Amino acid sequence: MTHAGTTAPTTAPTPPGADLPEHQESLWRSAEPKRSYDVVIVGGGGHGLATAHYLAKLGITNVAVLEKGWLAGGNMARNTTLIRSNYLWDESAGIYEHALKLWEGLEEDLGYPILFSQRGVLNLAHTEQDVRDSVRRVEANKLNGIDAEWLDPDEVAKVCPIVNVSGDIRYPVQGATFQARAGIAKHDYVAWGFARRASEAGIDIIENCEVTGFVADGDRVTGVRTTRGDIAAGTVALCAAGHTSVLLDMLGVPAPLQSHPLQALVSELLEPVHPTIVMSNAVHVYVSQAHKGELVMGAGVDTYNGYGQRGAFHIIERQMAAAVELFPVFARAHLLRSWAGVVDVTPDASPIVGATPYENVFLNCGWGTGGFKATPGLGWAFADTVAHGRPHPLVAPFGLDRFVTGALVDEHGAAAVAH
Amino acid sequence: MQLIACPWCGPREEIEFSYGGQAAVAYPADPASLSDEQWARFVFFRDNPKGPFAERWVHSAGCRRWFGAVRDTRTYEFLSVGPLSATTARTSVLPEATP
Amino acid sequence: MSRIEGYGRIDRSRHVTVTVDGAAYTGHPGDSLASVLLAHDARPANTGVKLGRPRGIGASWTEDPTGLVQVEEPFPEPMLLATTVEATDGLVARGVNGQGRLSEVPDLARYDRLHTHCDVLVIGAGPAGLVAARTAARRGDDVVLVDDRPTAGGTLTGTETIDGRPSLDVVDEIVAELTTSPNVTHLQRTTAFGHYDDGFVLALERRTSHTDDGGLARRSRQRVHRIRAARIVVAAGAIERPIVLEDNDRPGIMLAASARDFLHRYGVLAGREVVVFTSDDAAYAAAVDLHDAGASVQVLDARATAPTLWSRRCADRGIAVTANTHVHGTRGEDRITAALVGPERREVACDLLLTSGGWNPTAHLFSHVGGRLAYDPSLGAFRPAAPRPGVEVIGAADGTFGLADILRQAGGVGAPPANEEPRDPTAVLWRTDGDPTRQFVDIQRDATVADIARAVGAGMTSVEHVKRYTTIGTAHDQGKTSGVIASGITAELLGRPVEDLGTTTFRPPYTPVAFAALAGRERGDLFDPVRTTPIHDRHVAAGAEFEDVGQWKRARHYPHPGENMTDAVLRECAAVRTSVGIMDASTLGKIDVRGPDAAVLLDRLYTNMMSSLKVGRVRYGVMCGNDGMVFDDGTVLRLADDRFLVTTTTGNAAAVLDWMEEWLQTEWPELRVRLTSVTEQWSIFAVAGPRSRDVVGAVFADLDVSNEAFGFMTWHDTALDGVPVRLARISFSGELAFEVSVSAWYAPAVWARLLEAGRDHGITPYGTETMHVLRAEKGYPIIGQDTDGTVSPHDLGMAWAVSKKKPDFVGRRSFGRPQNQDPLRKQLVSLLPTDAATKLPEGSQIVRFADDGRLPAPPVPMLGHVTSSYHSAALDRPFALALVKGGRERIGEVVGVPVAGELVPALIGETVLVDPEGARRDG
């Protein structure tokens, strides 16, 4: 932990970029679409690529990943890269913890330096109810075998000295949960690593190929129509995140999804100042410092539906106010760039994964702000689901039918910021 | 940040408004007669089009009145705004989108 | 020294001293930090981030990719361009190698916001912007003109002629006219950094950057102008494009126009032996001007033939011009010593290499709102493709480069004339031949042509991928000079036209903006409004500890000296159970529901029946969402046939009002009801305890407060010294209790009267924590604490509050879903730790109690969690409320609660632990 100060540091900081990995010489083949595949994955983001990778591990390689734009150019390129598994409910903890375990071995699996850095996440509590909710989640995590701690304000300051834990802020920090195994990874590299492996396995990655319709025969879909021609499909796996509703509308399958802009931003490159990840609900902050030194922040969701990949500036301003409130040292940092993704949110803030009314179409969507951290876990379980034609137990609780039965997995209340 | 034309107050900053989601989703006349599936549709399912979308908004920090709007979710542009109908608002016909 | 007499707009009569990397330099007001350094032939101690090669100053304004400094005094700030830092006396800075440092010195400056509405916002005060602003102003429009540099004029150097006069005279004249126009706001040092929908532009004004003290004492340091304009004119100019060549990162390599800017703005000659390498006419002006200022200059033009007019001007001065020639590399250590010219890489000695590959229109502000850019091969640049309503792009920002054309575009027929200058077309030249590993595309990121080649070789075909692979365009300058070149080189390597590839997207902010400036004044108590009750100061005086509940500050308990919270709460609880206590409940949400259909509305929104409530009576009510989960609760007073007063939980007051309005306006507009928040109008004090009747009776002597005359769950109006007061017999503690409501104006007086009347009974102010204990002893849930949005009224044991008579109400249908019938739903129960000593932490999970009393290894199935937990004065032991799967069926069962690694056994019981018969409520 290097303290920021106006005096020169005792040792010169490592030049940012000096320790960045060299990229692989070969990433993926840009394939021309074939006429037919066993599995067509719609959406070449993290989830689609991870699903392809794990399908290949199951021996299923006659697979196409269709991406309407540039590979992993949607939320995968726009997210703020937090990885954690400290969710309240058993169902959520199950899939996210499985994902985290996969993250822990992913560099090796992919043979790609994804800069996975387990630096821990603090979820700050600011009110008595925050404290209750936090303790509840920590205790649940422990019983589920997930590392979790409750820290008092002094302990918070030890983990992250730049958090203002004094009483002189509007909503003083009452403590925090801490998951030490949480971390960040370089999102682009993760996507490229999956793409590279899938491509090596013979899976076709097809960019600039937008799905414009489906060919249905009774309760089966026999193919997809695309801007690059019709492609027959044995099984279709939807991994289109914020654009899922557009696809489901083509299929006539309703789903409780709403697509919202979600903004994020970075500062200029700064010497190391922030050793962990901090999230706060009441004072909405989600911030980490990336490898090169930029502060990466996730803002709140813009409230209205929107596919525009941009949001309103007052959200950013509010984000800055919250950041400076909790981290006075950030006052002098500069906003360098802001952007937005399109997140698909569900009524219970949990994903929808599993079957559709079409027996060979499987759905994966509704991850809201939490999709990145689930990437390998979802890919693994969804590949299994697609391969065996039934929901894997890890995703079974997240079926569409829960909205009918009422068996929701409600992560609103007690799961802190749903990033 | 948009300038939203409240039908009663005129153009005001976006931060004065709250979003109310899809318009014209009627509360069922007899919920008890619905299947669980039908009820779930009403409670949880809303359209999510990429393009013009008939929505409800409320001028929360202004006149506090609800109104209808057609907005393009690709550009966020409001294509039209108008009052919700005087009777059955959620089922009401919203102002036509001006092309 | 490279300061040239007779040039520049600095104030040579005064001096400033700046310190950079420990060395002092003298400059003048009007200098930038970069110009002071260049005047001393110095540079900041910067090296490249990856390769550690020395770096200098490559441009004169925000496009400079290299000259980053950390300012230490007077106002510490990381990562500023030396070209944009105004030289002020005492300024201390140092070079940075890629990372800035956040100072620990608190930022005590003020930052504010200003909202402006105007007819026309003009962005950029160069010739185009000035003329456009004047034209609009003369038309009578309200005009705002912003420009990021300290002075107006843009890239005009003073050598141009406008309207037959020196250009800067015309600039001064226009500025003077704008200054005296009441309908014009002209802001220099103000960067329009973001453009959003409906003519909304954010501009950052640096109000103190030219002062010596950072301006802390006098005014806000920076101000964000939030400008809403009916029409926006983007006249932001263009950024010169370098030509990539081998070892193009050395100090002493600069954009041609920047060298000219340094000369004319600051009187600084950036080099004495100058090679100009260009594929565009504009660089000739630099060659001529630098020659005239005393430099030895030669021009190498990449194009097949040099432009005629400029060749003649050069010839007149003895400036050698060689066409059809490339510079392929450079020599030098800390600074360039030679350019390598021609295929034979002939060494041409120089201390300054200027390059110019044409110009990229600064269309960022057009692009922010989705304005489409298209490649214009005649410019080798992307320029606005199609107009957007309300946005005009003029001048160089639109790809118009001749001064006469620019003025015409900006001012129409009324524009001042300038000489028509012939311009030869720009030749598109992204790079020359050389070693791609040393051809820097993004100098700040140390990213080279080889990196692009590697990305393309790896299979990448999108500029977005190339950007992410190489990091080109992600640095402090956000690719102002490198972005288009990267597109061009990528296109070359892919063998595709650059127009197919496009550029990466421009996103706000145009230049970096300090977090603090965007936070504005929303810090500390202004981060979120603090709401306090009318008697807040009484609580403070009484030594209360407060808790945040929503935006409210609520007194949590009133510790006496030496007491901790547990002591204080036990004392306060005991007072209520044995004598009398008083609590400020003014934060409860209060909604006046009025109209002939008021009862109908409430029947539809509450789970219980409200229409049957008689005037004068009070009923507890529960609200659910459509999902059938408890959303809020509170009491409902029927004030008249057509009028109710509804109370809500403190935190939910606004949400409940919104909820009711939504249903009323959007679903049942036929109901004749009006809803009014009266939360702030009424203060409420709960007077609770067996002696409460004595206290209330003493204060309101004309009211019969006997149980017969004033029954439980009834209300009465009375008056105190002519001030209307409402009393209600509502109890949240199980004790005899009265709620006293009075206009907020009179709250302090009534509070004082009640305390006075209760003094003999030892009346004890109690806070929310005590209230929580008392209600928990009675099994009353707190919505939001004992519920979490997944709890139905039935789960709370409140089936009695769910009407079976009403055909429908909001949430009713959801009770019939399969999940709601599950016998293993979590239900509210009490938990008594069997050791009668352990206070279970709130939030603790509940598991089966293992026979060996040990916590098994994970995963351990969970049965529920502790929602509330306290020490009870009445029970003389700790107790808790909990949500437990199938909880009511488990009453009598011992479960385990993991606490600090131990499994604490606890007995599940009924929720009501104190006075289950309800004998105490009537006193």
Side-chain angles (χ1 to χ4, degrees):
Chain A
M1 170 69 206
T2 306
H3 262 280
T6 49
T7 52
T10 47
T11 55
T14 313
D19 53 356
L20 289 182
E22 280 292 306
H23 287 299
Q24 303 292 342
E25 291 281 0
S26 168
L27 291 173
W28 67 87
R29 290 174 295 112
S30 284
E32 288 298 314
K34 292 191 293 192
R35 299 291 300 276
S36 170
Y37 292 92
D38 293 342
V39 179
V40 168
I41 297 170
V42 183
H47 284 200
L49 293 168
T51 302
H53 170 65
Y54 291 106
L55 276 174
K57 287 193 168 222
L58 295 172
I60 299 171
T61 56
N62 185 20
V63 176
V65 180
L66 309 185
E67 169 53 50
K68 74 183 170 76
W70 46 283
L71 198 73
N75 293 346
M76 193 64 177
R78 294 157 200 277
N79 79 86
T80 39
T81 79
L82 169 58
I83 294 159
R84 64 182 178 93
S85 66
N86 57 348
Y87 279 71
L88 173 67
W89 300 106
D90 296 351
E91 297 87 344
S92 311
I95 183 73
Y96 286 111
E97 176 60 17
H98 184 68
L100 181 48
K101 290 205 170 81
L102 288 174
W103 280 112
E104 287 171 331
L106 198 58
E107 285 207 357
E108 202 176 332
D109 183 16
L110 298 182
Y112 204 103
I114 58 169
L115 302 182
F116 180 51
S117 161
Q118 290 181 289
R119 55 184 64 188
V121 63
L122 289 165
N123 293 83
L124 303 182
H126 299 272
T127 66
E128 298 306 322
Q129 190 56 41
D130 279 354
V131 174
R132 291 180 196 106
D133 292 341
S134 301
V135 171
R136 180 185 177 192
R137 186 160 45 77
V138 163
E139 293 299 320
N141 291 160
K142 286 180 183 168
L143 293 171
N144 273 322
I146 294 170
D147 68 307
E149 289 176 78
W150 167 254
L151 304 184
D152 67 25
D154 289 342
E155 293 167 323
V156 170
K158 285 195 191 102
V159 173
C160 188
I162 56 173
V163 176
N164 186 354
V165 295
S166 72
D168 65 359
I169 64 173
R170 176 66 182 85
Y171 294 108
V173 174
Q174 312 280 339
T177 69
F178 185 61
Q179 183 180 25
R181 287 165 61 236
I184 57 174
K186 182 71 183 169
H187 47 6
D188 294 325
Y189 302 177
V190 173
W192 301 345
F194 277 120
R196 179 167 163 268
R197 277 281 187 253
S199 192
E200 282 172 358
I203 288 173
D204 280 354
I205 291 170
I206 305 165
E207 295 177 80
N208 301 307
C209 181
E210 182 169 3
V211 171
T212 55
F214 293 87
V215 186
D217 180 8
D219 58 0
R220 288 185 65 83
V221 164
T222 57
V224 296
R225 299 191 187 285
T226 80
T227 50
R228 297 179 69 175
D230 289 2
I231 301 171
T235 302
V236 175
L238 302 181
C239 291
H243 285 78
T244 300
S245 292
V246 176
L247 296 170
L248 290 179
D249 285 350
M250 297 174 193
L251 285 166
V253 174
L257 293 170
Q258 300 281 285
S259 294
H260 291 273
L262 176 67
Q263 300 185 74
L265 56 98
V266 288
S267 76
E268 73 269 70
L269 307 191
L270 297 163
E271 290 176 13
V273 63
H274 180 29
T276 183
I277 306 157
V278 172
M279 305 166 68
S280 163
N281 218 359
V283 183
H284 187 287
V285 161
Y286 156 47
V287 61
S288 63
Q289 187 169 17
H291 301 81
K292 284 188 305 203
E294 66 269 38
L295 299 170
V296 181
M297 283 193 198
V301 174
D302 283 65
T303 58
Y304 47 73
N305 291 23
Y307 287 85
Q309 292 190 331
R310 59 197 181 87
F313 194 72
H314 62 89
I315 307 272
I316 299 286
E317 287 179 308
R318 191 62 183 160
Q319 181 56 48
M320 295 289 86
V324 175
E325 172 82 349
L326 275 179
F327 299 88
V329 74
F330 288 173
R332 299 167 199 269
H334 298 99
L335 168 66
L336 193 65
R337 184 175 174 90
S338 61
W339 64 91
V342 184
V343 296
D344 44 329
V345 300
T346 64
D348 60 356
S350 283
I352 299 171
V353 186
T356 70
Y358 294 93
E359 63 175 40
N360 64 335
V361 178
F362 293 92
L363 182 59
N364 165 47
C365 61
W367 290 89
T369 57
F372 177 74
K373 67 179 69 64
T375 301
L378 178 280
W380 186 89
F382 198 45
D384 181 272
T385 298
V386 169
H388 297 101
R390 53 94 192 92
H392 183 276
L394 278 178
V395 297
F398 300 105
L400 255 179
D401 57 342
R402 74 179 187 270
F403 299 99
V404 175
T405 64
L408 305 185
V409 186
D410 196 330
E411 287 288 349
H412 282 125
V417 195
H419 279 291
Chain B
M1 188 157 69
Q2 309 236 80
L3 205 55
I4 300 175
C6 171
W8 292 279
C9 306
R12 295 288 188 276
E13 297 288 337
E14 178 185 322
I15 51 170
E16 295 183 15
F17 296 83
S18 301
Y19 185 56
Q22 184 179 1
V25 178
Y27 186 77
D30 181 13
S33 69
L34 300 185
S35 68
D36 289 335
E37 172 94 33
Q38 290 169 320
W39 176 247
R41 287 286 169 82
F42 165 71
V43 175
F44 295 119
F45 288 58
R46 295 292 180 271
D47 291 347
N48 187 28
K50 186 177 181 180
F53 190 27
E55 302 175 328
R56 303 179 309 149
W57 286 77
V58 57
H59 192 187
S60 308
C63 64
R64 298 187 57 82
R65 290 176 75 177
W66 285 80
F67 59 94
V70 176
R71 192 178 58 95
D72 191 324
T73 61
R74 293 166 299 191
T75 61
Y76 312 160
E77 188 187 352
F78 281 78
L79 305 175
S80 67
V81 294
L84 292 168
S85 138
T87 50
T88 51
R90 292 192 187 194
T91 52
S92 69
V93 178
L94 279 153
E96 286 297 310
T98 45
Chain C
M1 278 295 289
S2 301
R3 195 78 77 170
I4 307 299
E5 279 304 318
Y7 284 87
R9 291 172 250 158
I10 49 174
D11 178 2
R12 294 188 192 234
S13 68
R14 293 192 292 144
H15 294 83
V16 297
T17 302
V18 300
T19 305
V20 181
D21 298 315
Y25 301 95
T26 307
H28 303 284
D31 261 324
S32 70
L33 194 54
S35 68
V36 173
L37 289 170
L38 286 172
H40 291 81
D41 301 320
R43 62 176 181 88
N46 288 353
T47 55
V49 292
K50 266 200 302 205
L51 307 173
R53 294 159 61 108
R55 292 290 156 75
I57 288 162
S60 65
W61 189 235
T62 54
E63 69 277 19
D64 181 15
T66 56
L68 285 164
V69 295
Q70 170 101 16
V71 172
E72 309 283 17
E73 298 286 344
F75 192 91
E77 200 169 356
M79 296 285 263
L80 297 175
L81 283 168
T83 54
T84 64
V85 175
E86 296 188 50
T88 55
D89 204 38
L91 187 89
V92 179
R94 60 177 175 82
V96 291
N97 299 332
Q99 285 180 330
R101 187 182 308 146
L102 293 176
S103 167
E104 283 181 340
V105 178
D107 179 357
L108 300 176
R110 277 195 305 153
Y111 300 84
D112 58 12
R113 293 177 185 156
L114 196 64
H115 292 259
T116 305
H117 292 77
C118 61
D119 297 316
V120 184
L121 167 67
V122 180
I123 297 164
L130 285 170
V131 170
R134 186 177 71 175
T135 305
R138 286 180 176 175
R139 202 166 47 221
D141 287 347
D142 279 328
V143 177
V144 175
L145 170 65
V146 300
D147 184 89
D148 58 354
R149 301 200 74 150
T151 55
T155 53
L156 292 174
T157 59
T159 58
E160 308 83 357
T161 301
I162 297 177
D163 214 3
R165 286 172 293 152
S167 60
L168 293 182
D169 290 358
V170 177
V171 168
D172 290 344
E173 180 186 293
I174 296 178
V175 168
E177 179 178 337
L178 296 175
T179 304
T180 54
S181 304
N183 53 332
V184 176
T185 304
H186 176 192
L187 299 164
Q188 291 294 144
R189 296 188 175 89
T190 303
T191 307
F193 65 84
H195 183 185
Y196 291 82
D197 293 323
D198 300 323
F200 190 62
V201 171
L202 292 127
L204 181 77
E205 182 186 6
R206 299 176 298 282
R207 308 184 74 217
T208 62
S209 58
H210 52 299
T211 60
D212 295 344
D213 63 349
L216 290 180
R218 293 194 300 280
R219 49 162 147 175
S220 63
R221 181 167 178 266
Q222 296 181 343
R223 173 177 285 168
V224 174
H225 292 265
R226 300 160 63 106
I227 305 164
R228 185 70 78 173
R231 190 163 70 87
I232 291 167
V233 179
V234 178
I239 293 172
E240 199 169 26
R241 189 167 59 235
I243 299 169
V244 173
L245 45 89
E246 189 181 301
D247 296 324
N248 57 331
D249 62 327
R250 295 194 201 288
I253 301 175
M254 191 181 278
L255 293 171
S258 293
R260 199 166 172 242
D261 195 34
F262 278 117
L263 178 64
H264 291 292
R265 193 177 289 268
Y266 306 112
V268 169
L269 191 56
R272 298 277 170 180
E273 275 189 287
V274 183
V275 171
V276 178
F277 176 42
T278 185
S279 64
D280 178 70
D281 283 8
Y284 283 85
V288 165
D289 289 359
L290 266 62
H291 169 273
D292 292 354
S296 155
V297 181
Q298 64 169 296
V299 177
L300 306 172
D301 196 321
R303 294 172 289 185
T305 52
T308 315
L309 177 64
W310 282 111
S311 293
R312 198 173 66 236
R313 286 175 182 157
C314 287
D316 290 349
R317 290 169 169 81
I319 300 172
V321 175
T322 316
N324 203 17
T325 303
H326 285 185
V327 173
H328 291 282
T330 68
R331 290 260 188 277
E333 291 297 325
D334 279 349
R335 173 158 193 167
I336 187 170
T337 55
L340 304 180
V341 176
E344 69 283 10
R345 300 165 77 90
R346 175 171 51 92
E347 284 201 28
V348 174
C350 65
D351 62 359
L352 180 66
L353 170 63
L354 302 182
T355 72
S356 175
W359 296 80
N360 296 329
T362 307
H364 298 64
L365 272 287
F366 173 75
S367 188
H368 286 175
V369 283
R372 210 167 58 77
L373 306 180
Y375 185 73
D376 183 337
S378 74
L379 301 174
F382 290 84
R383 53 177 290 202
R388 277 191 66 84
V391 186
E392 241 178 285
V393 186
I394 63 169
D398 189 40
T400 304
F401 291 109
L403 182 56
D405 294 337
I406 288 171
L407 295 173
R408 257 196 308 276
Q409 193 183 19
V413 290
N419 288 340
E420 306 283 347
E421 282 259 331
R423 286 176 68 90
D424 279 13
T426 305
V428 176
L429 179 63
W430 309 120
R431 61 173 178 137
T432 61
D433 291 338
D435 176 358
T437 65
R438 279 150 58 201
Q439 291 183 323
F440 292 87
V441 178
D442 189 329
I443 297 180
Q444 198 178 135
R445 297 283 341 138
D446 265 351
T448 64
V449 172
D451 293 324
I452 298 180
R454 196 178 156 86
V456 170
M460 293 179 152
T461 56
S462 154
V463 288
E464 294 285 356
H465 283 144
V466 171
K467 165 183 165 178
R468 287 166 164 76
Y469 190 96
T470 61
T471 72
I472 290 171
T474 64
H476 189 270
D477 63 340
Q478 289 284 292
K480 285 186 175 60
T481 54
S482 61
V484 175
I485 293 175
S487 291
I489 293 174
T490 303
E492 272 182 13
L493 292 170
L494 287 170
R496 292 170 54 193
V498 64
E499 48 266 50
D500 282 8
L501 264 71
T503 57
T504 57
T505 314
F506 294 123
R507 301 202 185 276
Y510 174 64
T511 50
V513 182
F515 283 16
L518 296 173
R521 299 196 184 180
E522 290 181 11
R523 296 164 68 170
D525 275 356
L526 297 183
F527 175 72
D528 203 28
V530 177
R531 299 177 77 183
T532 57
T533 74
I535 52 167
H536 184 75
D537 57 344
R538 309 295 164 103
H539 304 320
V540 173
E545 295 286 337
F546 292 89
E547 70 169 322
D548 288 306
V549 182
Q551 292 172 327
W552 291 97
K553 293 285 183 191
R554 295 199 73 179
R556 193 174 184 201
H557 59 103
Y558 299 78
H560 288 175
E563 280 185 339
N564 61 22
M565 185 170 87
T566 304
D567 301 336
V569 170
L570 283 172
R571 173 178 51 73
E572 291 171 15
C573 284
V576 174
R577 292 269 181 239
T578 60
S579 179
V580 60
I582 181 167
M583 188 186 76
D584 182 4
S586 302
T587 62
L588 288 178
K590 304 166 207 85
I591 301 167
D592 187 275
V593 182
R594 203 165 184 179
D597 298 317
V600 178
L601 178 69
L602 296 185
D603 271 353
R604 292 182 186 179
L605 293 177
Y606 281 97
T607 61
N608 30 11
M609 186 84 89
M610 291 300 171
S611 54
S612 59
L613 185 65
K614 292 188 167 51
V615 174
R617 300 196 65 89
V618 182
R619 185 166 287 166
Y620 171 78
V622 176
M623 277 189 193
C624 288
N626 271 328
D627 60 359
M629 300 305 159
V630 175
F631 162 54
D632 202 65
D633 71 345
T635 54
V636 177
L637 284 65
R638 189 158 202 168
L639 304 181
D641 275 345
D642 64 349
R643 192 173 180 194
F644 295 80
L645 182 74
V646 163
T647 67
T648 76
T649 58
T650 295
N652 245 353
V656 172
L657 179 63
D658 288 347
W659 178 244
M660 295 173 77
E661 281 284 6
E662 180 181 344
W663 284 98
L664 178 62
Q665 290 188 40
T666 71
E667 195 61 48
W668 306 311
E670 73 281 4
L671 296 184
R672 294 159 298 168
V673 184
R674 286 287 176 267
L675 302 167
T676 309
S677 169
V678 292
T679 301
E680 302 273 2
Q681 281 68 28
W682 287 98
S683 289
I684 299 183
F685 308 132
V687 183
R691 313 307 301 182
S692 60
R693 183 174 282 131
D694 300 338
V695 175
V696 169
V699 174
F700 306 101
D702 55 352
L703 194 66
D704 182 350
V705 294
S706 69
N707 196 46
E708 295 69 35
F710 197 154
F712 185 59
M713 294 302 255
T714 66
W715 61 268
H716 289 278
D717 277 348
T718 184
L720 186 62
D721 296 349
V723 174
V725 174
R726 177 171 299 137
L727 286 90
R729 273 208 44 209
I730 295 168
S731 177
F732 202 37
S733 60
E735 298 298 323
L736 174 69
F738 295 81
E739 282 187 0
V740 179
S741 300
V742 64
S743 160
W745 294 108
Y746 299 98
V750 172
W751 177 262
R753 293 276 192 102
L754 289 165
L755 284 182
E756 174 63 26
R759 193 193 304 163
D760 291 346
H761 304 292
I763 193 167
T764 301
Y766 65 96
T768 51
E769 189 68 15
T770 299
M771 178 263 283
H772 288 176
V773 179
L774 296 169
R775 63 86 204 178
E777 291 172 341
K778 291 293 294 177
Y780 300 144
I782 295 209
I783 305 308
Q785 177 171 342
D786 300 296
T787 69
D788 62 1
T790 69
V791 179
S792 73
H794 309 86
D795 300 336
L796 291 174
M798 288 190 174
W800 56 267
V802 178
S803 169
K804 295 180 182 58
K805 292 183 194 150
K806 292 193 288 185
D808 193 29
F809 53 82
V810 172
R812 182 176 186 275
R813 175 61 186 82
S814 286
F815 298 154
R817 296 179 304 181
Q819 195 63 28
N820 289 63
Q821 315 308 317
D822 185 350
L824 285 183
R825 282 188 70 79
K826 290 180 187 168
Q827 295 162 336
L828 190 70
V829 290
S830 69
L831 269 190
L832 292 174
T834 55
D835 64 4
T838 307
K839 188 186 150 216
L840 304 171
E842 290 174 344
S844 295
Q845 293 288 340
I846 297 162
V847 301
R848 277 184 201 289
F849 187 71
D851 291 338
D852 62 359
R854 293 197 179 164
L855 183 59
V860 186
M862 286 164 260
L863 300 176
H865 74 284
V866 174
T867 58
S868 300
S869 180
Y870 312 98
H871 285 286
S872 167
L875 302 170
D876 192 24
R877 59 167 297 153
F879 74 105
L881 296 177
L883 287 168
V884 178
K885 284 181 183 169
R888 279 197 292 279
E889 284 294 311
R890 293 177 186 268
I891 286 174
E893 186 180 321
V894 172
V895 291
V897 179
V899 178
E902 301 293 316
L903 204 53
V904 177
L907 177 69
I908 295 181
E910 297 281 355
T911 52
V912 187
L913 296 173
V914 169
D915 185 28
E917 311 76 31
R920 304 180 63 87
R921 73 162 203 223
D922 293 329

